[in-house]
Amino acid sequence: MSQTALSLSSRYGGTPPAVTLPALPIFDTLLAHASVRHFLPDALPEQTLPTLLAAAQSAASSSNLQTWSVVAVQSQERRDRLSQLAGNQAHIRQAPLLLVWLADLSRTRRMGEQLQAPVAGTDYLDTFLMSAIDATLAAQNATLAAEALGLGTVYIGGMRNQPEAVAQELGLPPGVFAVFGLVVGHPDPAKPAAIKPRLPQSKVLHHEQYQTPTTLAEEVGDYDAHHRAFQASQGMPIKDWSQQVVERLHGPECLSGRHLLVESLHRMGFPLR
Amino acid sequence: MSQTALSLSSRYGGTPPAVTLPALPIFDTLLAHASVRHFLPDALPEQTLPTLLAAAQSAASSSNLQTWSVVAVQSQERRDRLSQLAGNQAHIRQAPLLLVWLADLSRTRRMGEQLQAPVAGTDYLDTFLMSAIDATLAAQNATLAAEALGLGTVYIGGMRNQPEAVAQELGLPPGVFAVFGLVVGHPDPAKPAAIKPRLPQSKVLHHEQYQTPTTLAEEVGDYDAHHRAFQASQGMPIKDWSQQVVERLHGPECLSGRHLLVESLHRMGFPLR
């Protein structure tokens, strides 16, 4: 069985879709993704950062507006502080590099000032969303580049727990927002990450129109069972995925501060009209 | 010169960063990205869709909540109508497949009903953003998978021009939003797409803290010139990139209807608290 086929099997918890993936190395990389949370402290080669950035900038950009930037944080002290701001995640302190991906409308606004032209289009929710989307496309390319180099990564959504404190730590001007972090480093071989199973394809893919399930079984298929088997294999506490999801989104008290995002963004120069 | 090195040179308009990209096929794919807008009408192999979806579902998902779905639109009539809704883009009608990537909080809400648990966490802007980010990570993996297979793609942000009409066309329930489309097909070899140059790395990458430029030259370096040279090489109208960006974001009248996104989302089941 090829590496890609093994990954596909893990990805769908033993009942993979009826597809033979192409024998191209990129599918090994794509399918084998797992978030790494245990890193060696070893430094990265100097070429890593420009390599990841070249991959990132090669992603599509809406109307080529390029409304994103990235901060590479290597200082131990700054990573320690950002770790605290993001729910005290140890891997941010451990790995040598934290990339913070920025929705950056300040560049456009500065160009507007310099060219003496209004850029009120930057004040709208859609433009903020576009900017976050473009930062995400870029980040995912960087992630795949890192993984292809044998490095490990994990996204840090917790970078949005305290967005104004993060902005202060990174010296972000108004109109710049840290969408998420990406930890990059050498995975600790003693604590390998496992491929997490996902919902069956039939639950995520709709043909022509959205088909709304009416029962929990229709909603998740055998995924709760696969998810429990995965948790058991990892020595994790065992809980149905469906139960875990509803608990995680129970209410604002579960959002680690992110229920205040609108007010923060308003103060950070995003009117979100 | 390797294919990857050639792509790197095109990507940075003749002054690439001082980096030798790894000789791995994935870097050929990553670096060679270009949005394709001219397609052959040829059908896709049956395996394409499950292959792209396996790549997409392998991307990271915030807390494994999997708050996205995708609609595969193949019907010519529906693609014609969606093309109209997205600014009459011909390639949506031309290529055989349009994938519409959905921020999907309705699955979580239905699970909440079935498990008789509140899921008020789905009502917040951050959760909407998380959902859009996860859909984007997934879509970018699908894009790279398609490109590795020799197919062409182009993102359709215009899917947000008239979000409620798109939702009606696709039968989306409340709590589901079409973040963007992705056209997939066989590129027309008679009209090849070119690699678009991007800003110099130094303008996008910050070390430790954000460094705010104070002049237009500091802001974009030699990029306006590279961009004009690219436009000239493509027989496109020639304009400085900086000028083009500020014109594109001049005001709400330039957003093709997207300045109304907040109101639409409120009506579509996203309170965005």
Side-chain angles (χ1 to χ4, degrees):
Chain A
M1 210 179 199
S2 73
Q3 190 53 53
T4 306
L6 282 172
S7 296
L8 186 71
S9 170
S10 302
R11 182 64 69 201
Y12 291 101
T15 53
V19 60
T20 304
L21 293 176
L24 297 168
I26 190 172
F27 284 93
D28 284 351
T29 304
L30 286 163
L31 268 288
H33 168 75
S35 294
V36 172
R37 292 186 176 84
H38 301 282
F39 293 91
L40 303 175
D42 307 25
L44 297 170
E46 215 175 289
Q47 296 261 302
T48 303
L49 195 49
T51 299
L52 302 193
L53 192 58
Q57 290 191 273
S58 298
S61 163
S62 185
S63 304
N64 195 31
L65 297 175
Q66 304 183 62
T67 52
W68 63 270
S69 298
V70 61
V71 184
V73 179
Q74 296 181 287
S75 139
Q76 182 69 58
E77 295 70 29
R78 183 162 285 114
R79 283 188 287 113
D80 290 351
R81 292 193 294 270
L82 287 168
S83 164
Q84 288 303 323
L85 293 175
N88 195 20
Q89 299 187 43
H91 32 274
I92 302 176
R93 300 192 293 275
Q94 222 176 33
L97 176 63
L98 172 69
L99 295 174
V100 184
W101 298 87
L102 307 173
D104 185 352
L105 298 174
S106 79
R107 182 189 295 123
T108 307
R109 289 183 185 156
R110 287 191 302 271
M111 293 196 295
E113 274 175 40
Q114 284 143 356
L115 298 170
Q116 298 183 291
V119 286
T122 60
D123 294 348
Y124 288 80
L125 175 64
D126 186 80
T127 310
F128 168 75
L129 180 61
M130 174 198 76
S131 180
I133 288 169
D134 279 9
T136 305
L137 295 173
Q140 182 58 10
N141 267 18
T143 292
L144 290 165
E147 291 176 339
L149 292 171
L151 301 171
T153 67
V154 59
Y155 282 101
I156 309 292
M159 211 51 65
R160 300 195 303 275
N161 291 1
Q162 300 183 58
E164 291 169 278
V166 166
Q168 190 166 14
E169 178 62 50
L170 299 177
L172 307 184
V176 185
F177 169 68
V179 185
F180 46 72
L182 183 73
V183 169
V184 182
H186 298 278
D188 182 348
K191 296 173 182 169
I195 291 179
K196 201 172 275 180
R198 300 281 194 233
L199 284 164
Q201 290 204 342
S202 60
K203 306 304 173 189
V204 172
L205 174 65
H206 302 259
H207 292 278
E208 299 302 328
Q209 289 203 310
Y210 194 100
Q211 302 303 319
T212 306
T214 54
T215 65
L216 192 58
E218 256 186 85
E219 201 71 70
V220 304
D222 52 8
Y223 183 61
D224 274 337
H226 286 315
H227 189 255
R228 293 171 71 101
F230 173 77
Q231 290 171 319
S233 75
Q234 300 295 305
M236 293 162 73
I238 293 177
K239 187 178 277 187
D240 277 347
W241 176 77
S242 51
Q243 187 63 37
Q244 202 165 293
V245 168
V246 300
E247 286 178 16
R248 175 66 180 67
L249 291 171
H250 176 275
E253 76 286 357
C254 306
L255 299 184
S256 309
R258 297 188 216 166
H259 61 297
L260 303 172
L261 183 63
V262 176
E263 292 74 13
S264 288
L265 284 170
H266 285 167
R267 286 190 294 264
M268 293 171 74
F270 297 94
L272 305 179
R273 286 189 221 294
Chain B
M1 208 177 202
S2 73
Q3 190 53 52
T4 306
L6 281 172
S7 296
L8 185 71
S9 170
S10 302
R11 182 64 69 200
Y12 291 100
T15 55
V19 61
T20 304
L21 293 175
L24 297 169
I26 189 172
F27 284 92
D28 284 350
T29 304
L30 286 164
L31 268 287
H33 168 77
S35 295
V36 172
R37 292 186 176 84
H38 300 284
F39 293 91
L40 303 175
D42 307 25
L44 297 169
E46 213 174 292
Q47 297 261 303
T48 304
L49 195 50
T51 299
L52 301 194
L53 191 58
Q57 289 191 274
S58 298
S61 164
S62 184
S63 304
N64 196 31
L65 296 175
Q66 304 183 61
T67 52
W68 63 270
S69 298
V70 62
V71 184
V73 179
Q74 296 182 288
S75 138
Q76 183 68 57
E77 294 70 29
R78 183 162 285 114
R79 283 188 288 111
D80 290 351
R81 292 193 294 270
L82 288 168
S83 164
Q84 288 303 323
L85 293 175
N88 196 21
Q89 298 186 45
H91 33 274
I92 301 177
R93 299 192 293 276
Q94 222 175 32
L97 176 63
L98 172 69
L99 295 174
V100 184
W101 298 87
L102 308 172
D104 186 352
L105 298 174
S106 78
R107 182 189 296 123
T108 308
R109 289 184 185 156
R110 287 191 301 270
M111 293 195 296
E113 274 176 41
Q114 282 143 357
L115 297 170
Q116 298 182 292
V119 286
T122 60
D123 293 346
Y124 288 80
L125 174 65
D126 186 80
T127 310
F128 168 76
L129 181 61
M130 175 198 76
S131 179
I133 289 169
D134 280 9
T136 305
L137 296 172
Q140 183 58 11
N141 268 17
T143 292
L144 291 164
E147 291 176 341
L149 293 171
L151 300 171
T153 67
V154 59
Y155 282 102
I156 309 292
M159 211 52 65
R160 301 195 301 277
N161 292 0
Q162 301 183 56
E164 291 168 279
V166 167
Q168 190 167 15
E169 180 63 49
L170 299 178
L172 307 183
V176 185
F177 170 68
V179 184
F180 46 70
L182 183 73
V183 169
V184 183
H186 298 278
D188 182 348
K191 297 173 181 167
I195 291 179
K196 202 170 275 183
R198 301 281 195 233
L199 285 165
Q201 291 204 342
S202 60
K203 305 305 172 188
V204 171
L205 175 65
H206 302 260
H207 291 279
E208 298 302 327
Q209 289 203 309
Y210 194 99
Q211 302 302 319
T212 305
T214 55
T215 67
L216 192 58
E218 255 188 85
E219 200 72 69
V220 304
D222 52 8
Y223 183 62
D224 274 337
H226 287 314
H227 189 254
R228 292 170 71 99
F230 173 77
Q231 290 170 319
S233 76
Q234 300 295 306
M236 293 160 72
I238 294 177
K239 188 177 278 186
D240 278 349
W241 177 77
S242 51
Q243 187 62 40
Q244 201 166 295
V245 168
V246 301
E247 287 178 15
R248 176 65 180 69
L249 291 171
H250 176 275
E253 75 286 358
C254 306
L255 299 185
S256 309
R258 297 188 217 167
H259 61 296
L260 303 172
L261 182 62
V262 176
E263 292 75 13
S264 288
L265 285 171
H266 285 167
R267 285 190 293 263
M268 293 170 73
F270 297 94
L272 305 179
R273 287 189 220 293

